[in-house]
Amino acid sequence: MLKYAIIGTGWITGTYIGGAMKDDRWELAAVYSRSYDKGRSFADQYLSAAHGNPIRIYTSLEDMSKDPQIDAVYIASPNRFHVEQSRLMLEAGKHVICEKPIAIRSEDLIELTRLADSKGLVYMEAIMMEHQPQIRVLKEAVDRIGEIYTAHIDFSQLSSKYQLYKDGKNPNIFNPAMCTGALEDLGVYNFYALIELFGVPDRIDVVPLFLNTGADGAGQVVCTYHKDDRPDLQVTVTYSKVGQSRLGSQIMGDKGTITIESISQLTGMNLYDNKGAVTALWGNEEKNTLMGREAADFARYILDPQGTKEEYDYIRQQSLKVCRLMEQIREKGGIRFKADGV
């Protein structure tokens, strides 16, 4: 049995716990919150995830890192704290799965990856699509639609915090001091899909849309791939936290088109031939199921390091590629964070 702790008590943490409950190798052992009462209230909702054992509440990350009964930590705090909290837990000998973006700077990701390796620990980004069987289905379908010259990858979801922003508040998701915005919160999923399907682009053109807080509320990146020194494929990537998309993503080949309702989950996928006949590739699934596969792979990487080495190395390489591409996008788009060293 692997005992894990959580940092962060938002809705995404509850979803992860629900996913981990689908795997009997995981037991929720501790919750960190700046407020003991909030932590206790949150933990009491998930007593079944602890298999009848008490869930400890910590208001000090240092104290939690020293708990010898904690094997692993799931981090879902604001982006700005991901690196320092990951470092603390890795140095204390805990395996770490950290919500996206795992790091803002690639140099931090490389440093922490080396730290984890030196201690024989697993350190990975929590990205659902990398752990779903439908990613293979999508790749096989891409091979069936002929020559691909254009694609549109979109994740635009109106933020639940948007009204706070409209009311003159500065919620974390629209606060550059928290190292976030539309690119880091939603765009990251698009670029995972982009790199999985097409690799790293040869050229990027970036058009961000800034809010009055300084955060990017939406953006567009045109990714161009070259073959024989000429443009061969163009993928338009769009993302927004100030509007809700209803069309999803599509990949257009000369023999057919693939549509994807949710690029982050790779669900609602269909293939259309040139006559309009449709073949369903993958339907919809509960998010707990999707995150359950992620939690299951985290356990496999910990418990069977030799048997999963190739797979684990691959997802880490993907994380680094995405991190580096996001750095380039921020640089070209003038996206700056008001945080020390970022």
Side-chain angles (χ1 to χ4, degrees):
M1 181 72 72
L2 292 166
K3 296 183 179 183
Y4 73 103
I6 60 168
I7 299 174
T9 54
W11 68 268
I12 191 66
T13 307
T15 307
Y16 183 85
I17 293 171
M21 288 173 66
K22 295 178 179 293
D23 190 317
D24 59 11
R25 291 171 293 188
W26 287 113
E27 176 186 315
L28 179 60
V31 170
Y32 166 79
S33 175
R34 289 174 296 175
S35 161
Y36 178 88
D37 290 342
K38 184 177 179 180
R40 181 80 274 162
S41 177
F42 182 87
D44 287 347
Q45 300 175 60
Y46 300 101
L47 295 177
S48 58
H51 303 291
N53 295 311
I55 300 174
R56 297 179 294 286
I57 308 300
Y58 285 99
T59 57
S60 163
L61 285 173
E62 286 280 351
D63 290 346
M64 192 171 84
S65 73
K66 296 173 183 175
D67 187 335
Q69 296 184 55
I70 295 173
D71 301 304
V73 180
Y74 168 75
I75 297 176
S77 54
N79 297 352
R80 179 178 179 176
F81 307 116
H82 287 182
V83 166
E84 64 183 78
Q85 291 174 351
S86 294
R87 183 182 292 113
L88 175 64
M89 295 303 159
L90 289 169
E91 287 176 342
K94 316 299 184 190
H95 302 282
V96 170
I97 181 169
C98 181
E99 269 301 330
K100 52 75 191 169
I102 191 169
I104 299 297
R105 302 186 303 179
S106 58
E107 62 189 80
D108 290 327
L109 178 54
I110 292 169
E111 174 212 337
L112 293 183
T113 296
R114 288 172 176 166
L115 173 62
D117 287 348
S118 72
K119 291 179 170 288
L121 298 169
V122 171
Y123 170 55
M124 60 180 274
E125 191 165 22
I127 289 287
M128 290 181 295
M129 74 173 63
E130 292 294 322
H131 306 279
Q132 310 305 320
Q134 56 264 42
I135 196 167
R136 293 189 294 274
V137 173
L138 176 58
K139 287 181 173 181
E140 290 167 1
V142 166
D143 290 338
R144 290 159 49 193
I145 62 172
E147 291 291 329
I148 299 169
Y149 297 101
T150 57
H152 177 209
I153 299 177
D154 176 78
F155 191 0
S156 297
Q157 181 174 281
L158 184 64
S159 173
S160 62
K161 306 297 183 183
Y162 180 64
Q163 189 57 50
L164 290 175
Y165 163 75
K166 293 282 283 185
D167 292 341
K169 308 285 177 51
N170 193 13
N172 284 347
I173 200 63
F174 295 128
N175 183 355
M178 293 294 106
C179 302
T180 189
L183 174 66
E184 296 296 335
D185 190 58
L186 299 182
V188 61
Y189 292 106
N190 293 339
F191 293 109
Y192 259 97
L194 178 88
I195 288 175
E196 278 288 351
L197 296 175
F198 306 116
V200 177
D202 297 307
R203 171 179 168 174
I204 57 172
D205 294 282
V206 184
V207 183
L209 184 152
F210 291 103
L211 303 177
N212 60 21
T213 63
D216 62 312
Q220 174 174 299
V221 181
V222 178
C223 302
T224 304
Y225 296 78
H226 291 84
K227 182 179 180 180
D228 299 328
D229 295 324
R230 65 179 178 82
D232 182 62
L233 166 66
Q234 254 188 6
V235 182
T236 302
V237 178
T238 54
Y239 43 88
S240 174
K241 290 193 69 66
V242 295
Q244 183 70 48
S245 172
R246 301 296 179 186
L247 296 178
S249 305
Q250 59 179 339
I251 303 164
M252 293 162 277
D254 59 11
K255 294 182 180 178
T257 299
I258 296 168
T259 62
I260 307 166
E261 288 183 14
S262 173
I263 199 67
S264 64
Q265 301 178 22
L266 298 184
T267 53
M269 300 193 300
N270 294 294
L271 188 155
Y272 293 80
D273 69 18
N274 286 340
K275 294 182 179 180
V278 60
T279 300
L281 298 174
W282 205 273
N284 294 314
E285 292 188 284
E286 293 291 329
K287 199 162 185 178
N288 280 358
T289 298
L290 300 169
M291 296 192 80
R293 293 181 185 134
E294 183 179 77
D297 280 352
F298 187 31
R300 288 195 306 111
Y301 302 155
I302 293 170
L303 297 173
D304 183 18
Q306 293 304 312
T308 61
K309 184 179 186 305
E310 183 175 350
E311 180 183 337
Y312 174 54
D313 286 346
Y314 176 80
I315 66 159
R316 295 200 302 177
Q317 290 166 9
Q318 295 301 93
S319 291
L320 183 57
K321 288 177 183 178
V322 171
C323 185
R324 284 174 167 162
L325 180 56
M326 300 273 280
E327 282 181 308
Q328 293 173 27
I329 293 167
R330 292 198 310 273
E331 180 64 28
K332 280 208 166 188
I335 299 172
R336 302 286 185 265
F337 296 131
K338 300 172 185 176
D340 293 341
V342 181

